[in-house]
């Protein structure tokens, strides 16, 4: 989660929101959450961060 957030320059909470909203696919294995890099990059292009 942290690596994906760093890769997209967003906070970890944003990654969680995208997961819950179905914008980012994930796999849960042994209590850990795994994200595919291609899906993370695809989500980054679909969901642009707005300016603060």
């Amino acid at each position: 989660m942290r690596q994906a957030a760093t890769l997209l320059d967003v906070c970890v909470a944003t990654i969680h929101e995208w997961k819950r909203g179905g914008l980012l696919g994930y796999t849960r294995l042994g209590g850990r959450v795994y994200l595919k890099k291609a899906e993370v990059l695809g989500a980054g292009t679909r969901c642009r961060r707005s300016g603060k």
Side-chain angles (χ1 to χ4, degrees):
M1 303 297 286
R2 205 171 321 140
Q3 289 175 339
T6 301
L7 183 64
L8 296 176
D9 192 30
V10 297
C11 64
V12 176
T14 301
I15 299 296
H16 285 290
E17 287 176 22
W18 289 353
K19 261 183 28 190
R20 281 190 296 256
L23 298 173
L24 187 60
Y26 65 96
T27 303
R28 185 176 291 274
L29 182 63
R32 292 181 180 230
V33 174
Y34 294 94
L35 306 169
K36 290 184 179 179
K37 187 173 184 178
E39 288 189 29
V40 170
L41 293 174
T45 58
R46 286 190 308 270
C47 306
R48 287 286 176 204
R49 187 170 82 165
S50 62
K52 291 183 179 179

